[in-house]
């Protein structure tokens, strides 16, 4: 069980927010899914954190893609064995360039790191301040069929996560006070990426309020 100070999902967001699961227990058709997620994000009123005291601004992409008849999915990456956050699970993203907006930076990084383009922004989640000194803005975006491929300089591998996996029983789970998002064989993601994906699941997919600024980060994410 999570400790008492751990953030917990709140009440449903105001109408027209709602969940993305249909009566048959399956995800809504893609166009309806996109419309519902966009409506849910519009209800959030995301927290924006000013940059100061040595903080640097970054953005990540929480993308929703479709692939033929298979369920919609998002992608996570495993960082290359060398460089910043070596070997860690992450969302495509990185530090913003001078004068660059979060939405622009997130889609640029998504293209550079995974070759996914042609995205349409649906909204943003709360800024998340990392222990390593970044203010991350998560940008939610939708796209059509894609062929995600890792950029060998920064990304070891790209992994597709069916969207309904984020809503599965046991996601998230807690281990000694640390958030864990078990999203597939060998894929267990902690904060900050895990916290962002948890807020995405609760707000964008379930239509419920959740703030994750208090979610603890493991020590290995601070490098």
């Amino acid at each position: 069980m999570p400790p008492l100070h751990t953030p917990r999902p709140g009440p449903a967001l105001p109408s027209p927010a709602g969940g993305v699961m249909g009566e048959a227990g399956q995800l809504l058709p893609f166009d309806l899914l996109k419309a519902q997620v966009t409506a849910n994000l519009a209800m959030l009123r995301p927290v924006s954190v000013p940059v100061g005291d040595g903080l640097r601004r970054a953005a990540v992409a929480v993308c929703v893609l479709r692939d033929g008849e298979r369920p919609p999915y998002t992608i996570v990456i495993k960082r290359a064995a060398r460089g910043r956050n070596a070997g860690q699970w992450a969302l495509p993203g990185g530090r913003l360039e001078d004068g660059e907006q979060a939405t622009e930076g997130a889609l640029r990084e998504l293209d550079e790191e995974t070759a996914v383009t042609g995205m349409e922004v649906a909204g943003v989640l709360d800024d998340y301040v990392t222990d390593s000194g970044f203010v991350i803005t998560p940008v939610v975006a939708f796209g059509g069929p894609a062929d995600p491929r890792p950029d060998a300089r920064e990304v070891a591998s790209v992994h597709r996560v069916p969207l309904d996996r984020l809503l599965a029983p046991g996601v998230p789970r807690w281990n000694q006070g640390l958030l864990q998002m078990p999203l597939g064989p060998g894929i267990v993601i902690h904060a900050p990426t895990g916290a962002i994906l948890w807020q995405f699941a609760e707000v964008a997919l379930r239509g419920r309020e959740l703030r994750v600024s208090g979610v603890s980060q493991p020590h290995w994410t601070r490098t």
Side-chain angles (χ1 to χ4, degrees):
M1 292 292 292
L4 293 177
H5 67 273
T6 298
R8 297 177 183 272
L13 293 165
S15 180
V20 298
M21 303 299 289
E23 294 181 0
Q26 296 180 332
L27 288 168
L28 297 173
F30 193 82
D31 289 343
L32 294 178
L33 171 73
K34 178 181 175 182
Q36 188 63 69
V37 166
T38 302
N40 291 348
L41 292 171
M43 297 292 104
L44 176 63
R45 296 183 181 177
V47 173
S48 179
V49 177
V51 174
D53 297 328
L55 294 175
R56 295 160 288 179
R57 191 164 291 283
V60 297
V62 184
C63 63
V64 180
L65 302 169
R66 55 181 167 183
D67 185 5
E69 298 301 317
R70 290 189 288 184
Y73 66 95
T74 189
I75 59 176
V76 296
I77 62 174
K78 196 164 193 178
R79 290 286 175 201
R82 296 182 179 180
R84 179 176 291 277
N85 305 127
Q88 294 182 26
W89 293 108
L91 291 161
R95 185 173 180 176
L96 297 183
E97 297 177 352
D98 290 343
E100 189 175 40
Q101 299 298 311
T103 52
E104 298 170 345
L107 298 189
R108 173 184 56 78
E109 290 282 351
L110 180 66
D111 179 13
E112 293 176 358
E113 295 185 342
T114 69
V116 172
T117 60
M119 304 298 293
E120 181 179 349
V121 173
V124 300
L125 298 168
D126 289 346
D127 284 352
Y128 186 95
V129 181
T130 73
D131 291 345
S132 57
F134 284 93
V135 177
I136 300 176
T137 301
V139 177
V140 180
F142 279 75
D147 181 24
R149 301 185 305 275
D151 173 57
R153 295 168 298 176
E154 299 185 68
V155 181
S157 54
V158 178
H159 301 260
R160 304 185 186 204
V161 178
L163 216 59
D164 55 5
R165 177 62 190 170
L166 293 165
L167 305 175
V171 181
R173 68 188 186 198
W174 302 86
N175 182 8
Q176 298 181 349
L178 291 178
L179 169 76
Q180 294 183 333
M181 298 289 283
L183 300 181
I187 304 178
V188 178
I189 304 180
H190 298 78
T193 299
I196 291 169
L197 288 171
W198 186 27
Q199 190 184 39
F200 170 71
E202 290 297 323
V203 172
L205 302 184
R206 286 195 167 104
R208 300 193 304 200
E209 185 174 3
L210 176 72
R211 308 292 180 174
V212 294
S213 60
V215 174
S216 298
Q217 302 166 47
H219 65 85
W220 64 81
T221 66
R222 299 168 187 164
T223 57

